[in-house]
Amino acid sequence: MSEVRTKAALAKEAAAVMNRMTTVQKNEALLKMADALIAEQAILLEANEKDIRNGEANGTSSSLLDRLKLNPSRIEAIAEGLRQVVELEDPIGTVLETFDRPNGLHIEKHRVPLGVIGMIYEARPNVTVDAAGLCLKTGNPVVLRGGSAALETNRAIVGVMRQALAETALPVEALQMIEDSNRSSVDEMLKLNGLIDVIIPRGGASLIQNVVQNATVPVIETGAGICHTYVDASALPKMAEEIALNAKVQRPSVCNSMETLIVHSGYAEKHLSSMAERFREKNVELRGCERAQKLVSWVRSASEQDYATEYNDYILNIKIVDDLDEALAHIRRFGTMHSECIVTESQENAARFLAEVDAATVYHNASTRFTDGFEFGFGAEIGISTQKLHARGPMGLPALTSTKYVVKGSGQVRG
Amino acid sequence: MSEVRTKAALAKEAAAVMNRMTTVQKNEALLKMADALIAEQAILLEANEKDIRNGEANGTSSSLLDRLKLNPSRIEAIAEGLRQVVELEDPIGTVLETFDRPNGLHIEKHRVPLGVIGMIYEARPNVTVDAAGLCLKTGNPVVLRGGSAALETNRAIVGVMRQALAETALPVEALQMIEDSNRSSVDEMLKLNGLIDVIIPRGGASLIQNVVQNATVPVIETGAGICHTYVDASALPKMAEEIALNAKVQRPSVCNSMETLIVHSGYAEKHLSSMAERFREKNVELRGCERAQKLVSWVRSASEQDYATEYNDYILNIKIVDDLDEALAHIRRFGTMHSECIVTESQENAARFLAEVDAATVYHNASTRFTDGFEFGFGAEIGISTQKLHARGPMGLPALTSTKYVVKGSGQVRG
């Protein structure tokens, strides 16, 4: 049997035991894992050093190497993340609804674990620990498949965490890591219906599209974000500038940053040049429609392809529109249903925008950068769902649960 | 452009309008559709007559022809189903949660439509009307792809309902039907990411497996049910017999009927022969393990394959076990996570069974036949989900919704 099937089967077997674990038992395990990561940090740093050396030898980019790099303070932060998950309320076991039927049946809807979760992600070692913590806290075994660039680091991390689990009530086999770094191991995970209950991909657009296109196991799609900010005619210029600037440059590499600024023509004629100046100060390259180019001479021409691109970089499209309808149509065409914002003083336009834009999160007068589990107060997040099924937007612990109907009778049969 | 893509694109365009429809507008449309089905029943009966004649010519089984057949009282029942959906509470627009963040952001979680729903089903014309009613009531455009055996009937039904929609506020294009009865039209629907938001299959195991194996659009898997009833040592014999008999023979063709009866050896030694007699009276063929065969001479031998088969017929497997753990292991191995029952007077065993069996619906002392939207009091159901993502068990109107975070600020940016 392949590594993937063997480990997924072990995880599946552990699911029944995980189902029975109490909140106290799960929290104890997470704290043991956190302590072990600190206590065994020499092992982690040594393994990480190998990944870094391999990366350097393979010409990996310095930004990727930086994301991969561990040091004592990063390990402390990762362990602290686990401790924070301990503080979160355990959603498992909650009774969401109860109802009694005329025939005397008593029906309860309970929150239960999702089952075996397959995580497919890239080279950030902190995802290994975050995902393990969030899945185990919600009673779910997890099969981790991280990027090959972090293989040594992830193996060391998972080894340390499994050793810690061995001293707890939780089954060690609830935490699995696929070491086969061939693409075929991902392909196999995607088709393991019956052993893996849900796949959650985290990473760039190509990783996510591979999962969505090839999985037969149910998927929670995350991540891709072509986010817009629409500055309406009545927007306050200072507020509009601060929100737009923040949405673009506070952290351009992430999914909730802005890719296209849509500006009402009335606002643009008076204020676009000053807004453009703010972006120039931050070294943001501007591309735009003809009308934007007329108002700001150094704006380059934006193609259809540009409007459809998630730059994740210091590049911004500008599109001038004559009314809210034109803005809504642009978002409908190019948005990825992630995060969309209107800056306006018109309550009527705000209400229409919030109601009509079909996205996980819609904003009135605030930066799209707030689409985040921590910013929403969830305390942690396993990802940001961009699909409409099951969970939408930042996913906290409840997104890692399912439900079960428990029916209590006294001999009822159907007539 | 193909028929499928063209119609899905029209449905997608209608989604924005559907989003804005009020409960009153949606209910008016459903009532108009119900009235039209009655008023135009001559058209429906004529079309249905063609399907029946085609079916007879093709040697279609009489049970399938019966399910396909329309008559005035069946049309009345179908129209009445629509009127019942009008009476149901509209989940759309409900604010599920609100919270305020320390930075002053006000966040609301709203219920919104799922988007374009693709229904793929077999030859029952009532599904055409039910699905249209449930989807439109929840603000979702729907693309219907029914079985070819009902093509003429479905075309007439959808034609009449679209004509009725034309006199309402709802967009006619929110109701689409694929007339291409080639398998390729199904395959195309399954890959229409971006135009279809969710696929819901309803029908036999092969239809559902085709959808699960080939869809790249998110799917809500429904239907397959290998359901067990476990009769524990302390079960009351009369109650156990009534529940087991009901679970098997009240309607053997449906997914929530029982396929395997698991019996504690202590109970079996005293009561299995009397229980077997009850099944014999109902012409149920019994297959079983060696121990069951020893206790009841006319029980045939059950193979592993038998335990893994959804008979949907007057056939039942019997498996004798020595304790609850053995029963749980059998269910873990062969169950499809649909509906599972324990009959026992032991509160301890009942509690363990209800907690440990991983199924959409678990029963103590009641027939598995109750897993049904109407029996649960949902007033209607679009299907019974056997997956853990999004919805599990009987799906009422809320299962046809998604959520959206609405965030209201006053210029907040992320620091």
Side-chain angles (χ1 to χ4, degrees):
Chain A
M1 209 154 56
S2 70
E3 183 201 7
V4 169
R5 182 170 284 272
T6 304
K7 290 183 171 175
L10 288 168
K12 183 79 188 171
E13 240 173 80
V17 185
M18 286 297 288
N19 251 323
R20 291 200 294 268
M21 294 294 106
T22 65
T23 303
V24 169
Q25 288 171 319
K26 292 183 286 188
N27 285 343
E28 276 175 4
L30 265 55
L31 290 173
K32 280 248 158 93
M33 283 159 53
D35 291 346
L37 291 172
I38 303 286
E40 305 292 352
Q41 60 182 289
I43 295 175
L44 308 189
L45 292 171
E46 195 186 345
N48 186 246
E49 188 54 37
K50 282 188 211 164
D51 280 331
I52 297 287
R53 275 202 307 271
N54 287 341
E56 285 166 348
N58 297 336
T60 304
S61 74
S62 61
S63 70
L64 193 66
L65 286 176
D66 179 61
R67 273 189 272 173
L68 178 55
K69 178 84 184 158
L70 287 185
N71 57 39
S73 76
R74 283 192 175 179
I75 293 174
E76 177 56 45
I78 287 171
E80 184 53 32
L82 275 181
R83 294 193 194 102
Q84 283 173 9
V85 175
V86 169
E87 299 303 317
L88 300 178
E89 203 185 326
D90 182 358
I92 298 301
T94 313
V95 178
L96 298 170
E97 294 169 33
T98 67
F99 43 105
D100 291 287
R101 301 295 303 150
N103 60 7
L105 284 182
H106 174 77
I107 305 182
E108 299 177 350
K109 187 176 185 178
H110 291 215
R111 256 201 209 286
V112 298
L114 262 180
V116 178
I117 295 177
M119 287 288 308
I120 296 174
Y121 56 104
E122 288 171 347
R124 294 207 311 217
N126 64 310
V127 175
T128 304
V129 181
D130 284 357
L134 294 168
C135 291
L136 296 179
K137 171 85 184 207
T138 41
N140 299 294
V142 61
V143 179
L144 301 164
R145 171 52 169 83
S148 57
L151 181 62
E152 298 291 341
T153 310
N154 285 338
R155 180 155 40 200
I157 290 174
V158 171
V160 166
M161 292 196 297
R162 280 173 57 101
Q163 224 164 1
L165 279 181
E167 294 167 26
T168 73
L170 267 60
V172 173
E173 304 299 356
L175 177 57
Q176 299 289 341
M177 172 189 153
I178 304 304
E179 302 194 5
D180 178 353
S181 58
N182 289 306
R183 158 88 176 257
S184 60
S185 65
V186 169
D187 295 341
E188 192 179 355
M189 281 178 73
L190 301 181
K191 311 264 186 207
L192 273 191
N193 300 61
L195 290 182
I196 296 181
D197 292 282
V198 183
I199 297 272
I200 303 178
R202 279 187 63 175
S206 73
L207 180 148
I208 289 167
Q209 276 313 303
N210 177 45
V211 169
V212 169
Q213 292 300 318
N214 296 304
T216 54
V217 174
V219 170
I220 303 181
E221 187 174 350
T222 70
I226 297 178
C227 304
H228 302 81
T229 301
Y230 169 55
V231 177
D232 198 17
S234 66
L236 300 175
K238 176 149 175 45
M239 186 194 288
E241 280 181 23
E242 294 302 328
I243 287 174
L245 209 68
N246 186 263
K248 181 72 247 180
V249 306
Q250 198 255 345
R251 201 169 164 204
S253 63
V254 292
C255 58
N256 57 19
S257 65
M258 169 177 63
E259 307 299 353
T260 297
L261 178 68
I262 306 173
V263 187
H264 188 280
S265 52
Y267 182 96
E269 276 151 29
K270 285 185 239 161
H271 307 295
L272 187 64
S273 55
S274 119
M275 174 122 42
E277 210 43 51
R278 300 285 305 272
F279 282 110
R280 177 142 73 174
E281 284 164 14
K282 297 288 186 183
N283 298 312
V284 177
E285 178 190 328
L286 298 187
R287 303 181 188 179
C289 61
E290 279 184 23
R291 296 170 76 178
Q293 290 178 281
K294 271 194 194 138
L295 290 167
V296 181
S297 62
W298 53 276
V299 170
R300 298 183 188 188
S301 168
S303 66
E304 293 285 285
Q305 186 52 44
D306 285 331
Y307 292 125
T309 299
E310 185 178 4
Y311 295 120
N312 284 336
D313 203 347
Y314 287 84
I315 308 172
L316 177 69
N317 303 313
I318 297 183
K319 165 85 181 173
I320 311 288
V321 298
D322 282 325
D323 56 25
L324 177 59
D325 286 307
E326 207 183 332
L328 293 172
H330 184 92
I331 292 171
R332 237 188 341 265
R333 180 155 172 219
F334 294 105
T336 54
M337 307 201 299
H338 191 299
S339 299
E340 307 288 356
C341 167
I342 183 172
V343 185
T344 186
E345 292 301 300
S346 156
Q347 290 304 317
E348 194 190 329
N349 284 359
R352 271 199 63 199
F353 186 94
L354 296 175
E356 293 182 28
V357 170
D358 184 19
T361 309
V362 288
Y363 290 89
H364 176 209
N365 289 349
S367 167
T368 54
R369 286 280 295 114
F370 286 109
T371 304
D372 175 280
F374 291 94
E375 294 294 331
F376 272 39
F378 299 166
E381 79 169 34
I382 192 87
I384 296 171
S385 165
T386 52
Q387 70 183 30
K388 291 174 152 185
L389 214 61
H390 184 72
R392 201 175 189 203
M395 294 188 287
L397 293 180
L400 293 175
T401 68
S402 182
T403 59
K404 166 160 116 174
Y405 286 108
V406 174
V407 184
K408 296 173 185 170
S410 49
Q412 282 84 350
V413 297
R414 192 159 163 190
Chain B
M1 209 152 60
S2 69
E3 183 202 5
V4 168
R5 183 169 283 273
T6 304
K7 290 183 171 174
L10 288 168
K12 183 79 187 172
E13 241 173 81
V17 186
M18 286 297 289
N19 252 321
R20 289 200 296 268
M21 293 295 106
T22 64
T23 304
V24 169
Q25 289 171 320
K26 292 183 287 188
N27 284 344
E28 277 175 3
L30 264 56
L31 290 174
K32 279 247 160 93
M33 283 160 53
D35 291 346
L37 290 172
I38 304 287
E40 305 291 350
Q41 60 181 290
I43 295 175
L44 308 188
L45 292 171
E46 194 187 346
N48 184 247
E49 189 53 40
K50 282 189 210 161
D51 281 331
I52 296 288
R53 275 202 308 269
N54 288 341
E56 285 166 348
N58 297 335
T60 305
S61 74
S62 62
S63 70
L64 192 67
L65 286 177
D66 178 60
R67 274 189 273 172
L68 178 55
K69 178 86 184 157
L70 287 184
N71 57 40
S73 76
R74 283 192 175 179
I75 293 175
E76 178 56 45
I78 288 171
E80 184 54 31
L82 275 181
R83 294 193 194 102
Q84 283 173 10
V85 174
V86 169
E87 299 302 317
L88 299 179
E89 203 183 326
D90 182 357
I92 299 301
T94 313
V95 177
L96 299 170
E97 294 170 31
T98 67
F99 43 105
D100 291 287
R101 301 294 303 149
N103 61 7
L105 284 181
H106 174 75
I107 305 182
E108 297 176 351
K109 188 177 186 179
H110 291 216
R111 257 202 208 284
V112 298
L114 263 181
V116 177
I117 296 177
M119 288 289 307
I120 296 174
Y121 56 102
E122 288 171 346
R124 294 207 309 216
N126 63 311
V127 175
T128 304
V129 181
D130 284 357
L134 294 167
C135 290
L136 296 179
K137 171 86 183 207
T138 41
N140 299 295
V142 61
V143 179
L144 301 165
R145 172 46 170 90
S148 56
L151 182 62
E152 298 291 340
T153 309
N154 285 338
R155 180 154 42 199
I157 290 174
V158 171
V160 165
M161 292 196 296
R162 280 173 58 102
Q163 222 164 2
L165 279 181
E167 293 166 26
T168 74
L170 268 59
V172 172
E173 305 299 355
L175 177 57
Q176 299 289 341
M177 171 191 157
I178 304 303
E179 302 194 5
D180 178 353
S181 59
N182 289 307
R183 159 89 176 257
S184 60
S185 66
V186 169
D187 295 340
E188 192 179 354
M189 280 178 74
L190 300 182
K191 311 264 186 207
L192 272 192
N193 300 61
L195 290 182
I196 295 180
D197 291 283
V198 183
I199 297 271
I200 303 178
R202 279 187 65 176
S206 73
L207 180 148
I208 288 167
Q209 277 313 303
N210 177 45
V211 169
V212 168
Q213 293 299 319
N214 296 305
T216 54
V217 173
V219 170
I220 303 180
E221 187 173 351
T222 69
I226 297 179
C227 303
H228 302 81
T229 299
Y230 169 54
V231 176
D232 199 16
S234 66
L236 300 175
K238 175 146 176 47
M239 187 193 290
E241 281 181 23
E242 294 303 327
I243 287 176
L245 209 68
N246 187 262
K248 181 72 244 180
V249 307
Q250 197 254 345
R251 201 170 162 202
S253 64
V254 293
C255 58
N256 57 20
S257 64
M258 170 177 61
E259 307 299 353
T260 297
L261 178 68
I262 306 174
V263 187
H264 188 281
S265 52
Y267 182 96
E269 277 152 28
K270 286 185 241 161
H271 307 293
L272 187 63
S273 57
S274 118
M275 175 122 44
E277 212 41 54
R278 299 286 304 271
F279 283 110
R280 176 141 75 173
E281 284 165 14
K282 296 288 185 183
N283 298 311
V284 177
E285 176 189 330
L286 298 187
R287 305 181 187 178
C289 61
E290 280 184 23
R291 296 170 76 179
Q293 291 178 279
K294 270 192 197 143
L295 291 167
V296 181
S297 62
W298 53 276
V299 170
R300 300 184 186 187
S301 168
S303 66
E304 292 286 284
Q305 187 52 43
D306 285 331
Y307 292 125
T309 298
E310 185 179 4
Y311 295 121
N312 285 336
D313 202 351
Y314 286 84
I315 309 173
L316 176 70
N317 303 314
I318 296 183
K319 165 86 182 172
I320 310 288
V321 298
D322 282 325
D323 56 24
L324 177 58
D325 285 308
E326 205 182 333
L328 292 172
H330 184 93
I331 291 171
R332 239 188 338 268
R333 179 153 173 221
F334 294 105
T336 54
M337 307 202 298
H338 191 300
S339 299
E340 306 290 356
C341 167
I342 184 171
V343 185
T344 187
E345 292 302 300
S346 157
Q347 289 306 315
E348 194 190 330
N349 283 359
R352 270 198 66 198
F353 187 94
L354 296 175
E356 294 182 28
V357 170
D358 184 18
T361 309
V362 287
Y363 290 88
H364 176 210
N365 290 351
S367 167
T368 55
R369 285 281 295 116
F370 286 110
T371 304
D372 175 281
F374 291 94
E375 294 295 331
F376 272 39
F378 299 165
E381 79 170 34
I382 192 86
I384 296 171
S385 166
T386 51
Q387 71 182 31
K388 290 174 152 185
L389 214 60
H390 185 71
R392 201 174 189 205
M395 295 188 286
L397 292 181
L400 293 175
T401 68
S402 182
T403 59
K404 165 160 116 175
Y405 286 110
V406 174
V407 183
K408 295 173 184 169
S410 49
Q412 282 84 349
V413 297
R414 191 158 165 190

